[in-house]
Amino acid sequence: MRGKCPESSSHLSKFQEDGFLVLEGIFSPKECDMMREQIQKIVAEMEVPSHCRTEFSTQQEEQLRVQGNTDYFLTSGDKIRFFFEKGVFDKEGNFLIPPENSINKIGHALHAHDPVFKCITHSPQVQELIKSLGLEVPVVVQSMYIFKQPHFGGEVTPHQDATFLHTKPLGRVLGIWIAIEDATLENGCLWFIPGSHTDGISRRMVRVQVGSVGCTNFIGSEQVYEDSRFIPTPIHKGGLILIHGEVVHKSELNHSTHSRHAYTFHLMESKGTHWSQDNWLQPTPELPFPLLYT
């Protein structure tokens, strides 16, 4: 582990101003390769029943149809589960392309159940960085490995993470996004609206109970954002992006011949914070949100 961390004062100021911060060279190429090799092992061993094969989408109606209202998604917070790109299954749920090329993401508890991703999540450089931001009792609430497959890796529409991970007060959720490969304009790097984390949130996804069946619904609506407000954040392999829970961000389709793998996880400052009971993701007796600092 490099244990590399930015100078706290200038970077903290930049993060507070923009709502995101791009930090190059936090993890070594060896560490990135280690994560990629581990995810290849997980994919090689995956067994996904046909009736559980869930395509991932970020369009509101699609979100609710294909993931927000399925037990496979709603009970994934303390497990390692697989979510797929659109159009990779036939009507019977069989793969139309090789399984390893069909996955959108794996989530949401790699940080708890896999030793490699647990090590990265609690790495010295992450702990040092988070301490420099002033978080006192941060906990890990979820983690994901995102593939952004060549040619058809799906777009992620403009959104705020606090839409899905809501706290009282706001401002207690922080995303850590690690580039396993170079993220470029061509293969779907992240785009942000600087300063948009100061405007609150306009939409929430909440868990509701319909009879004996759990599902989700959206309250409010996503704003329409002008494309000109977004700025791209290409980043090299091993770099890290800090993401404020209310900053608006997106990524485009991957039209290139190169994937854009990333490992991302979310933290919450638990001191003085209430985790909303109607969030889709809830801690469980089997997996309470683990402390970041070790």
Side-chain angles (χ1 to χ4, degrees):
M1 296 291 182
R2 288 186 176 185
K4 187 176 181 180
C5 183
E7 296 178 7
S8 58
S9 57
S10 60
H11 285 84
L12 176 58
S13 176
K14 183 67 173 171
F15 176 68
Q16 291 174 335
E17 178 183 351
D18 291 340
F20 66 95
L21 182 64
V22 178
L23 301 169
E24 294 281 10
I26 301 297
F27 290 93
S28 68
K30 182 178 180 181
E31 288 167 323
C32 294
D33 293 342
M34 178 177 66
M35 286 187 276
R36 182 158 188 168
E37 290 167 6
Q38 186 69 3
I39 215 70
Q40 288 173 339
K41 293 177 183 177
I42 292 172
V43 171
E45 296 171 359
M46 77 173 175
E47 295 181 7
V48 185
S50 295
H51 70 278
C52 287
R53 288 175 176 170
T54 300
E55 295 178 348
F56 180 78
S57 173
T58 57
Q59 299 289 351
Q60 179 162 315
E61 291 184 1
E62 289 283 313
Q63 283 175 329
L64 295 178
R65 181 181 65 81
V66 302
Q67 62 178 34
N69 293 333
T70 67
D71 284 341
Y72 189 71
F73 172 77
L74 288 173
T75 59
S76 66
D78 60 357
K79 301 175 182 67
I80 296 176
R81 286 187 169 166
F82 306 89
F83 302 89
F84 300 89
E85 293 287 356
K86 295 172 65 174
V88 300
F89 298 114
D90 63 19
K91 292 181 179 180
E92 286 72 43
N94 300 309
F95 285 104
L96 294 171
I97 61 175
E100 63 272 16
N101 297 330
S102 67
I103 303 176
N104 175 286
K105 70 173 185 176
I106 297 176
H108 290 91
L110 286 163
H111 63 279
H113 297 309
D114 184 88
V116 169
F117 291 99
K118 184 175 183 178
C119 181
I120 292 293
T121 302
H122 297 274
S123 61
Q125 54 267 57
V126 168
Q127 294 194 47
E128 184 181 349
L129 174 59
I130 300 308
K131 287 178 180 177
S132 77
L133 296 175
L135 276 70
E136 297 183 52
V137 192
V139 295
V140 188
V141 300
Q142 71 165 0
S143 57
M144 297 175 284
Y145 191 99
I146 302 172
F147 291 78
K148 205 76 165 180
Q149 302 282 2
H151 303 298
F152 65 90
E155 71 171 325
V156 178
T157 54
H159 69 283
Q160 299 164 289
D161 292 341
T163 289
F164 309 95
L165 308 173
H166 189 265
T167 63
K168 294 180 180 179
L170 286 172
R172 301 304 179 92
V173 170
L174 177 68
I176 306 292
W177 195 96
I178 301 167
I180 308 298
E181 303 176 287
D182 290 349
T184 67
L185 290 172
E186 292 74 28
N187 71 4
C189 69
L190 298 181
W191 295 66
F192 292 88
I193 298 180
S196 55
H197 62 300
T198 63
D199 298 330
I201 62 172
S202 60
R203 184 177 71 134
R204 284 192 60 202
M205 188 174 88
V206 297
R207 183 189 287 251
V208 295
Q209 196 75 18
V210 179
S212 60
V213 179
C215 59
T216 60
N217 200 2
F218 281 103
I219 299 174
S221 59
E222 194 66 73
Q223 298 180 38
V224 177
Y225 303 101
E226 295 179 6
D227 286 342
S228 61
R229 298 180 62 192
F230 287 90
I231 66 167
T233 58
I235 188 169
H236 293 102
K237 176 179 179 178
L240 179 154
I241 302 178
L242 282 174
I243 304 174
H244 190 284
E246 283 95 75
V247 72
V248 178
H249 57 292
K250 67 175 183 175
S251 66
E252 304 291 349
L253 284 165
N254 182 0
H255 294 293
S256 78
T257 58
H258 302 285
S259 58
R260 192 225 63 189
H261 287 206
Y263 174 57
T264 182
F265 55 95
H266 286 89
L267 306 173
M268 176 186 70
E269 171 57 85
S270 63
K271 184 177 180 180
T273 305
H274 173 74
W275 180 258
S276 295
Q277 296 302 302
D278 53 7
N279 282 338
W280 78 265
L281 174 70
Q282 295 295 327
T284 65
E286 294 76 20
L287 182 60
F289 293 155
L291 294 168
L292 176 69
Y293 300 149
T294 56

